[in-house]
Amino acid sequence: MKTKDRILLKSLALFNQDGERSITTNHIASALNMSPGNLYYHFRSKEEIIYEIFLMYERSMLNALTVPSDRVITYTDKMGYFEAIFNQLWEYRFLHRDLGHLLEESPRLRASYRQFAGKVMAQAYLVYNALRKAEFIKASEQDVQAMIVNIWIITTSWASFVVSSGFFGEEVVLSQRLLRRGIYQIICLEAPYLQGEALEKLPDLLKQYGDDSAKTV
Amino acid sequence: MKTKDRILLKSLALFNQDGERSITTNHIASALNMSPGNLYYHFRSKEEIIYEIFLMYERSMLNALTVPSDRVITYTDKMGYFEAIFNQLWEYRFLHRDLGHLLEESPRLRASYRQFAGKVMAQAYLVYNALRKAEFIKASEQDVQAMIVNIWIITTSWASFVVSSGFFGEEVVLSQRLLRRGIYQIICLEAPYLQGEALEKLPDLLKQYGDDSAKTV
């Protein structure tokens, strides 16, 4: 593996584990048995490392949201999107833990994040249009537009909700299981618009993604 | 007005205007033409000021969500809840701009915020049950539970979404108008469950709270 990639992966692991704020470039160099000078040869600042990690995140997220061009979208594709998105959220979980701060610190990350949000929502629009065409979803244009914004907010805010709300217990530690529980919330959001095979499979999905350990309101 | 309240109101105004992180107790004292010693006589730390402001926020939020005990809930009550909640979000907007950081810094705020989230969601549950009883809403128990969590997330994350997503333009400044646009997103979330008078009034509401300046996805 190239040194540059080794630095990015180790940084990502440390940021996820301890939070981005408590990790310095010195910590990263030391965890790699590397001199700070060598690290600075590859990245001039922590901001640059974070920006490169964001680009990795963006690539894998947009990649996960591709609509098949050679065939009709299937219901399995649809669930695959959620699985892929929440897996990416887990892999890059430090990004959304303190997003406001990261965006404040870096004007180019701020600009890129906005473009990314636009691209993901445009991609989601293509997915929902394909789902409408395949008659898995019956919804007006206005319904779809609002649903995409709501899904974006719930998805990107889910990690903060898990940690801050106490909904899953006191002082809970974010886990992949609790993160995935967010898929349940999205399924419920979409539920009123489902039809056909998607509607038939809904009860099973609700069972699969629901979590008995979750409180009721 | 008591000195204590003057300090709280001035702090709230400064936090909202410049962000909580850039305001120190010295800034607050100076803005009130008060000696730092006098301020410390009333509040031992900025954390204590923030905590007291949070308690004000909590009181007015829970107050806004009361279900009338002497009569059936009306559709006007229902819209009044959203108006009141988003007004509170505006009055105390610094709280949600950097919530993760505030909760990290203060264990007692963290504990109180979790209790608050639980209380608001329990109160929302009473409201939705009253709405079901009054036949404005037709939804299963599972629908209502999931909807309340989704509404909580969208409401508390809306300010961050406005600022970070670029959905309302580049480098947008949070305004009461853009904050209120969040009500539109909640109305769309509820729309599939409405019936009767609530369903009849839906098109007007969507027009009233929708915002032509908003991008489409």
Side-chain angles (χ1 to χ4, degrees), chain B residues 54-67:
Chain B
F54 167 75
L55 294 180
M56 289 161 58
Y57 170 72
E58 176 176 53
R59 272 194 302 273
S60 60
M61 213 51 149
L62 291 172
N63 199 38
L65 276 169
T66 316
V67 178

Side-chain angles (χ1 to χ4, degrees), chain B residues 54-101:
Chain B
F54 167 75
L55 294 180
M56 289 161 58
Y57 170 72
E58 176 176 53
R59 272 194 302 273
S60 60
M61 213 51 149
L62 291 172
N63 199 38
L65 276 169
T66 316
V67 178
S69 59
D70 52 340
R71 56 178 176 78
V72 170
I73 199 166
T74 69
Y75 191 69
T76 312
D77 292 328
K78 191 185 157 304
M79 287 315 299
Y81 293 132
F82 291 141
E83 288 284 345
I85 289 167
F86 277 82
N87 281 340
Q88 296 310 320
L89 284 176
W90 174 252
E91 298 296 334
Y92 296 87
R93 59 195 172 278
F94 86 93
L95 279 174
H96 286 288
R97 200 147 68 189
D98 203 5
L99 186 68
H101 171 70

